[in-house]
Every structure is written in structure tokens, then in C-alpha cells.
Amino acid sequence: MNAPLPDVPEVRVVGLPQLTQGFDLVERLDLQMHLKVHGPLEPMTGERLAQLAENISLRGRGGAGFPFHQKLRAVAKAAIRRGVRPVVVINASEDEPACRKDTVMVNRAPHLILDGALLAAEALGARTLVVAVTRNSTEVSMRAALAERGLSDRRGQQLRARVQRNPERMVSGEASAIIRAINGGPALPPGRRERAAESGVGGAPTLLSNAETFAQLAVAARVGARRYCHAGLESEPGTVMLTVSGAVARPMVLEVPTGVPLRYVLQLAGAPPVPQGVLTGGYHGNWIDAAATHDAVISRESLANVGGALGAGAILPIGPETCPLGEAQRVANWLAAETAGQCGPCKLGLPAAAGGLSDVINGGGPAALEALREVTQAVKGRGACKHPDGSARFFASTLSAFTDDLAAHVLHGGCGRETTGVLPLPLPGYEEAAESIPSGEKLAIDWTLCKGHGMCAEIVPELIRMGPDGFPTVAEAAVPTHLQGRAQRVVRRCPALAIRLEQAPAERRPKQRPELPSSGSGRKALGSGRG
């Protein structure tokens, strides 16, 4: 079975690099190298920036594909109407096991992302910038990038900037979950639908977009719309970042112009010549067959025309040797486990759908298949967030893409192939093993004051849990940096004033400068025959 993808896999480029420019020179572009490679960036007015985004047809690169210029204008309009300063949020969460393109950008070119976000912040008159991440490597790199620019969250600065570390879960990367976490709540969708452009962080109009989207904006601002549009298709100009994994010889992140044949992308990664199927758009995406793979090019429109999806840029082929329904079952189990547990369609429907797929695979016959179709249909459009809808799309696509295998399992009890596990998923216990940056402080309880109210365990369950005796149990480890805010809130809100933050033992204190992550592989030029 395949191991989980590394944070920074091999990075390659087709044609001339734009986002990945300079990757062949260094592992990470610090501010000095970033300016040498990309040059300075002049500020723009809000309307001029919106016009640029419209001229290059810039859409969000996180999956939804919403036009960036519409979002920018909506935030500006709301801020002016309400007379409040807006907030800019970079979504660099990327919580899906099959996606690494944003993680690569944050680890290797953080200043290109910050360029686009700061350009938007200045154009909007924003005074707050938040970068949402979920991985240790991205937190380290982005904190270093903010420090290199002299940006911090200290009062009195013209722009306050900080990194928001959230749990690495599928639902925590949704816009509403990110805003809820920034506002001090759990990193879960709130259930009610509210436009961030109207009311987001602190109730202010909020421009929230994907990390790659801001990087694309920074490139276009430097070169201009006309030159930017020289690459890619006329209808979808520029390049896109892709993560290619699954049944490939070399999992990688690729920067490619739109219009490049999908079969060429698969060939570069060493996919089977005739894949049994290709999952496009990630685990909330759609399967396409080998014939569609031959016809499609890299673009939203082309992939949609063959039943696929560009989504978050994940491309996952599987070969003929594995059972495609078994591969889908592994993903289905993971999707069910990623539920926020806040609504019936997600908490009950997704496990039921995963169980239904298992019944079909294990010879449940036509009745099991019909039950699976019913539960999948019942989940759609009824969830508190987009996770049930995306998961239902994955189930429905699986059933329609592999009809021969489905028939073999339903009518004959199996297809005769084992499940080799080529689709990347986290290893069991990955949440417990997740790295974190220690803050140098730890929580301590004064047992002479503690009354066992339990509020502390509700605010920061990662560090405090209620024991069988009704009193809290506190983690011995230092408080991670990304949980510092909630730890301080626990201290302030304890009704008995029984909790305090104190300095952790010296051996647990963080290094003054944490080492930045290294990918171990640079960008390789393609098309010239050179490695």
C-alpha cells in the first residue's frame, strides 16, 4: 500500500515556470531571494486589482472556483457600506491526503502568496491578515516569512498579521470553519450559511481565498494581464498547480499551463499507459475512464465535459491490477471518519454509505446496491457543510464509472482482484502523531481551587480531558503555539481561577529559530529532455 504523501514531494514544471520560478535555485525562497527572482511589486487600487483579476479570469484554486474579482468587489462594497475595515485570510489548509500543491507553495514560495494577499489588503484598506494552516511545515515556513517581512500581530502596527493553526481535517479547511476558528471557536463549519464577504472574521467583511489564488494574483500583478494570458488557454489563461499521485511511479506536484493534455501529465508521473480510471479533483471529485483521459486537457471546462473535475488540482490514476470499488471503499471509510458530527446527513449518512458500499463489494447483491443509492441520494443537499455533498459526489461517481466491476460484485460476489491501496490516505493514528511547535509554556492546575466545572476541557480538549473522577487531566507536553490562544482563554475563563500558564521545563522549550522544512528535491525542467 502507498504511504502518505510527503509535505513537499518532487516538483516539476511544464513550459516556463511562473509560480515555481526559482525552485531550481533554492529549496525555499526567503524574502531576499524572492525579490531577486520575482522583483518588487507595486500597489494597486481596489478597482484596478479587481479588473486585473477579471481580465485574467482568475478563479479560486481551492476547489470551488469562484471568480476572484467578484469576491474582491463584494468585500470592498460591504466594507464601504458598513464603514468597517475588512480582513484578508489566506486559506493554506489543504487537509486532503491527495493534495500538496498549496503545501508546496507555502513551504517553498511563501512570499509569492503573501504578495498577493498584501496587495489585496492594501487595496481594500484591510488592517488584519490571517494565514490558516494545518501542518507543522507550513506553520514554520509562514511564521518565518512573516518575520522576514517584519509583520506580526502586535498592537499598533499598520497591518497585524498572524498564522492560525487548525487541526488537519477535511472539514477544517472549509471557509466557514476557518473563520469560526479565527474567531475563537472550533475549526468546524457553523451550520448556518453566511457570506464571508458580508460578515466573517470578527463580523467584518472578509476576503478569504486559497493560497495558490493569491500567488497567481501576485504573478499577474507583476507581468500584467496580456503577458499572463500568453500561457494557457484563452478561456482559462495561466498555469495551474496539480498534485499527481495514486498509481504513479513518481508522486509529484506539477505546474502546467492550462490546455496541456491530461495523458501527458499522467505520463510524466509514470502512470499506467491505460489506467482503469482517474479520480480528478480529489476525494470530493469525479472518476473518469481511460477514454476520457485520452481526450481531456487540463482545464475546468475540459474536465467537466468528460465528467471530471479540476477541483483542488488532485489527479489520481489507478491501474488495472486493483479493485476500483475496494479503492473507493478505503476513501469512503476515511470520508465517513472525517465527519464533523454536527448533522445527521454527515454523522449518520456517510458511515451508512460507506457501510453500504462494503455490503455491495462483499456480495450483498442488488438489494445492497439499491440501499447504497438511496442513502447517497439522501445525503445530498442536506448537510451543515459541503462535506456530505462532496462525499456523495464521490460515491455517485464511483457507481457510474465502474459499472463492469459493480456488476461483477453484485451478480458474482467479486471481481477477482485484490485492493492494493494505491490512493494516498493518512496512516492510522496520524492525529496523535501530528507535529506541533511548542510555545515554551504549559498548563498547570491548582488542585486546591479546582471545582471540576469542565469548561477547560470544552475549550481546549487537545490538552485537557475530564477524568473518570470528574476532574480534569492535563497534558504534560508544552502547549503548541497554535493552541496558545485557547490556552490563554482557559486561564481567563476558569470560574475557580484554578488554571495558569507557566514556563515549561527547559528541555521542552522551542529552539529560537526552528529549522525550515526541506523537500529534498528541486524543480526539474521538462520538455528539454534535461533532468
Side-chain angles (χ1 to χ4, degrees):
M1 291 190 179
N2 275 10
L5 291 175
D7 278 10
V8 185
E10 178 183 354
V11 182
R12 306 187 82 174
V13 61
V14 175
L16 295 175
Q18 302 214 46
L19 302 184
T20 58
Q21 192 174 356
F23 280 23
D24 55 341
L25 303 175
V26 291
E27 290 297 320
R28 178 185 180 275
L29 281 76
D30 61 14
L31 182 58
Q32 184 178 4
M33 180 58 74
H34 166 75
L35 292 174
K36 284 183 179 178
V37 169
H38 292 283
L41 184 59
E42 296 297 323
M44 291 185 179
T45 63
E47 181 52 36
R48 186 179 164 205
L49 191 62
Q51 192 63 54
L52 172 68
E54 186 173 4
N55 290 342
I56 65 172
S57 302
L58 181 61
R59 289 177 173 268
R61 301 300 176 91
F66 193 81
F68 185 83
H69 70 276
Q70 292 182 20
K71 190 180 293 187
L72 186 66
R73 288 187 172 117
V75 172
K77 184 177 179 181
I80 292 170
R81 186 183 72 251
R82 294 176 53 193
V84 297
R85 295 279 188 181
V87 176
V88 175
V89 177
I90 301 171
N91 185 358
S93 301
E94 202 165 47
D95 307 298
E96 198 169 327
C99 296
R100 289 295 183 274
K101 51 103 173 173
D102 289 329
T103 301
V104 163
M105 289 300 299
V106 174
N107 274 292
R108 302 199 61 183
H111 289 286
L112 197 61
I113 299 167
L114 287 175
D115 274 351
L118 292 171
L119 199 64
E122 186 162 356
L124 291 168
R127 293 292 180 263
T128 303
L129 170 67
V130 184
V131 188
V133 300
T134 53
R135 296 193 172 105
N136 194 59
S137 64
T138 49
E139 182 181 6
V140 171
S141 183
M142 192 53 77
R143 284 186 184 278
L146 292 178
E148 287 162 7
R149 289 179 180 252
L151 294 172
S152 73
D153 197 27
R154 292 196 186 103
R155 293 180 182 274
Q157 295 206 58
Q158 185 176 6
L159 177 74
R160 296 179 64 177
R162 66 184 177 92
V163 176
Q164 169 75 27
R165 174 79 176 267
N166 295 326
E168 189 176 338
R169 297 198 54 204
M170 189 74 161
V171 294
S172 67
E174 189 170 318
S176 61
I178 288 172
I179 290 172
R180 190 179 183 188
I182 294 171
N183 285 336
L188 298 173
R192 64 185 184 279
R193 304 294 173 91
E194 196 166 9
R195 293 181 61 211
E198 290 290 336
S199 179
V201 176
T206 300
L207 177 69
L208 186 150
S209 203
N210 165 263
E212 184 194 339
T213 313
F214 282 116
Q216 294 282 3
L217 184 67
V219 168
R222 281 184 168 89
V223 303
R226 181 176 298 179
R227 184 176 161 192
Y228 181 93
C229 293
H230 284 169
L233 300 168
E234 184 177 352
S235 58
E236 298 179 39
T239 65
V240 295
M241 297 290 286
L242 304 172
T243 311
V244 188
S245 63
V248 297
R250 300 175 301 279
M252 62 177 60
V253 167
L254 271 165
E255 182 184 11
V256 302
T258 55
V260 168
L262 175 58
R263 63 181 183 276
Y264 181 58
V265 168
L266 295 172
Q267 180 184 346
L268 290 175
V274 183
Q276 183 177 188
V278 178
L279 183 57
T280 59
Y283 294 158
H284 277 177
N286 295 325
W287 289 99
I288 60 175
D289 59 21
T293 300
H294 188 271
D295 296 335
V297 301
I298 300 299
S299 80
R300 290 185 181 277
E301 183 179 7
S302 175
L303 287 170
N305 286 341
V306 296
L310 182 59
I315 306 292
L316 300 112
I318 59 172
E321 71 287 342
T322 190
C323 171
L325 299 183
E327 295 289 345
Q329 177 70 67
R330 295 176 61 246
V331 176
N333 291 339
W334 179 80
L335 289 170
E338 288 296 291
T339 172
Q342 298 186 126
C343 66
C346 196
K347 183 178 181 180
L348 303 177
L350 296 188
L357 181 58
S358 178
D359 290 343
V360 170
I361 293 173
N362 293 320
L369 177 59
E370 183 59 30
L372 173 58
R373 293 189 193 278
E374 286 181 5
V375 71
T376 301
Q377 187 64 31
V379 164
K380 291 169 61 177
R382 297 176 57 231
C385 70
K386 298 175 183 176
H387 183 51
D389 284 355
S391 301
R393 182 164 50 248
F394 172 80
F395 280 106
S397 177
T398 299
L399 297 181
S400 63
F402 302 108
T403 52
D404 290 346
D405 294 271
L406 195 60
H409 280 273
V410 170
L411 300 177
H412 307 294
C415 64
R417 288 172 293 182
E418 293 184 0
T419 301
T420 58
V422 296
L423 299 180
L425 289 170
L427 292 173
Y430 74 101
E431 289 111 334
E432 289 77 10
E435 296 176 274
S436 59
I437 301 172
S439 65
E441 295 179 315
K442 63 174 292 187
L443 286 169
I445 294 181
D446 184 339
W447 296 110
T448 65
L449 299 175
C450 180
K451 303 299 182 184
H453 293 97
M455 183 183 293
C456 53
E458 294 178 8
I459 296 176
V460 62
E462 297 91 340
L463 298 174
I464 302 176
R465 295 182 182 179
M466 297 305 290
D469 60 354
F471 284 85
T473 301
V474 185
E476 287 296 321
V479 175
T481 301
H482 67 280
L483 294 178
Q484 249 184 317
R486 279 197 277 160
Q488 291 166 354
R489 198 175 312 125
V490 163
V491 173
R492 292 196 303 268
R493 294 188 180 180
C494 177
L497 303 178
I499 305 179
R500 65 182 182 275
L501 275 169
E502 59 184 30
Q503 199 69 29
E507 63 271 17
R508 288 182 183 148
R509 294 179 194 171
K511 298 176 182 178
Q512 289 297 315
R513 289 190 55 139
E515 292 184 6
L516 295 172
S518 172
S519 71
S521 60
R523 179 187 61 82
K524 297 184 180 180
L526 295 178
S528 61
R530 293 176 293 178

